[in-house]
Structures are given as structure tokens and as C-alpha cells.
Amino acid sequence: LTPISPARSLVQTAPRALTTLANKHPITLGPMTEAAVVSSSDLMRLRRLLTATGPGMELISPITGEVIGELPTSTAADVEVGAQIAHRAQKEWAARPIEARAQLLLDFHDHLLDSREYFIDLLQADGKDRMSAVAEVLHVALTARYYGRTARRYLRSERGEGLLPLMTRVERHYVPKGLVGVIGPWNWPLTMAVSDGLAALVAGNAIMVKPDHQTPLVALAAVDLLRRSGLPPDLWQVVHGPGAVVGRELIDVSDYVCF
């Protein structure tokens, strides 16, 4: 199923929703953070989420210019293996009731708001100002909640009259695409890497995301949080590396691509 844009609903509900979030979930506003947000143990945990066996690539802080860590890159073979793993997981996931898939998004929404300061810090460490980072985290939370609450309305089967009224009828069933590839940019490393994937996920698809190789940590942290919210481990694959290498392979193995 092609993901349905939540833009209209978000525009209508954003002012009230953001006011509610601000009241229930206070957010710290302050100067640009220069401290390392991801500890060495966190980085090791996030590394394990990657489908990557290639050479390491240094992560450079856009604020200080210092090396903050290293992640392995994905090879063409890694992308192919990741696609095969995701396809196997997708069959079981698509068989789950819509309500079960939607509940994952609602749980992720709650956990993301609980972890909001960490994700805001991650985005700020990638070079965003604090307010822009706040907006990006809240946008992803609102997207998860929107699809979690409306999935059944969009995905339920429908009946209609056929060519011969009273004698024939039409049944419309929505089926997943299969593997949805997502290519995330550096300037919206959380929203663009995750939001479309959430829509595809609740529709019964598997996901393979390639964050920008300069800003992969916040997308990895989001996938980590999704897993801790109940996401089957193999369902959302993450590959890493330059677009000229990894991006082409991701497009080739995907049934649908978002970027």
C-alpha cells in the first residue's frame, strides 16, 4: 500500500497537539550542545543494528570537526542479504492484524516522547538548532500517533456495487508493497528517514533505510527505539555508506522507494 500523507491532518491538529505535548512533556531549550551525545557503549549498540561488513567510515562532528566514532559501511552483498532477511520477516508481519501493527506505532510514540531530550540532543549534535530539533522529534511523534490511530480506517477492506447492481459486487483489499526502501537526507535525518517508514510499516511492509552517511546516528537510535517498542528485529534493516554505492543497490532490491 502506498503510504498516505498525514500532512493535512498534521496541519489541522498540530497547534493543539504541540500545546498538549509542551504541557505534558516539558522540553529543555538551551545553547548548541558540544558534548558527545552518544557514549561508546551506545555507539557499539547502534553499530549492531547495521547490516554492514564493509570498511569503517569516520563520523565527523559538524560542530567541532572532531571524529566522534566510526561505523562500518554496507557492501552490495550486505544490501542483498538485508533485503532477503527483511522479506522473510515481512510475510509474518503482514499477517498480523492491523490493530497489532498500529499498536506498535502508538507505543513508539509514547517511548519517543519519553526519550525526547536524547533525540533532540542527537539532532542538535548533527548541527540543528534546538528549536528545529524539537520540531523534528515532535513531527515524528505526531506521525506515529496519526498512523497508529487511523490505520484501520485507511487499510480495512471495502465493498461496493459491481457492474450489475444487486447481482455483482466489488471487494477492494489493500496489500503491502513488500520491501520499502527509504533514503534519508542529512538535513532532516530523523523525519525523512523514519516518518515514511512508519506509514509503510503499519501497512504491512518491511523497511530498509539508508540514512545520510554524515548523520546516521539519530536514525539508528530511532530503529533501536522501535525494536524496544516491539518491532520484530529483522523487519527494519539499516544500511550505511555513500549514496553512489549503497543507494543504487537499495533501489534495486526495493519494491517501493521513498526519498
Side-chain angles (χ1 to χ4, degrees):
L1 179 69
T2 302
I4 305 164
S5 173
R8 183 168 179 268
S9 177
L10 287 176
V11 168
Q12 292 173 338
T13 63
R16 182 176 59 186
L18 290 176
T19 300
T20 302
L21 289 174
N23 291 335
K24 292 184 177 180
H25 304 276
I27 295 168
T28 302
L29 298 179
M32 180 70 74
T33 179
E34 296 184 5
V37 177
V38 179
S39 66
S40 57
S41 59
D42 284 344
L43 186 60
M44 289 300 296
R45 187 182 76 255
L46 296 179
R47 283 170 61 101
R48 288 194 286 269
L49 299 176
L50 287 170
T51 304
T53 61
M57 176 179 289
E58 291 182 339
L59 300 176
I60 309 296
S61 168
I63 301 172
T64 65
E66 298 176 352
V67 176
I68 58 176
E70 182 180 287
L71 291 176
T73 54
S74 301
T75 64
D78 290 328
V79 176
E80 180 63 36
V81 168
Q84 293 174 5
I85 294 172
H87 272 297
R88 288 196 294 268
Q90 185 268 332
K91 294 178 181 179
E92 188 277 332
W93 176 250
R96 294 191 186 186
I98 295 172
E99 292 80 4
R101 302 196 303 257
Q103 187 60 49
L104 169 65
L105 267 63
L106 296 175
D107 292 342
F108 173 69
H109 162 273
D110 293 344
H111 295 156
L112 180 58
L113 290 183
D114 289 341
S115 307
R116 61 195 177 279
E117 293 287 351
Y118 175 67
F119 278 86
I120 292 167
D121 287 346
L122 275 176
L123 286 164
Q124 203 173 4
D126 279 339
K128 288 220 164 198
D129 65 87
R130 191 91 178 158
M131 284 301 297
S132 296
V134 168
E136 194 162 346
V137 171
L138 295 185
H139 177 270
V140 173
L142 285 169
T143 300
R145 185 169 177 81
Y146 173 82
Y147 285 124
R149 296 182 67 177
T150 62
R152 181 163 183 79
R153 184 205 312 170
Y154 290 124
L155 299 174
R156 65 187 177 191
S157 297
E158 301 172 346
R159 290 183 178 182
E161 291 186 350
L163 181 62
L164 301 176
L166 303 179
M167 297 181 62
T168 60
R169 73 183 185 194
V170 174
E171 292 189 359
R172 183 183 294 112
H173 303 282
Y174 295 96
V175 296
K177 293 287 187 180
L179 177 61
V180 174
V182 180
I183 299 176
W186 62 269
N187 55 336
W188 292 94
L190 179 61
T191 292
M192 299 298 287
V194 175
S195 292
D196 286 337
L198 294 176
L201 192 66
V202 78
N205 296 284
I207 313 298
M208 178 177 283
V209 63
K210 190 204 85 65
D212 188 273
H213 64 277
Q214 301 171 95
T215 55
L217 294 181
V218 70
L220 282 167
V223 174
D224 180 52
L225 189 61
L226 277 163
R227 290 190 180 187
R228 288 188 277 131
S229 300
L231 178 77
D234 295 336
L235 193 62
W236 193 308
Q237 298 287 312
V238 187
V239 292
H240 175 56
V245 179
V246 184
R248 292 177 181 177
E249 296 297 330
L250 182 147
I251 291 172
D252 288 342
V253 301
S254 298
D255 300 304
Y256 191 88
V257 179
C258 305
F259 62 91

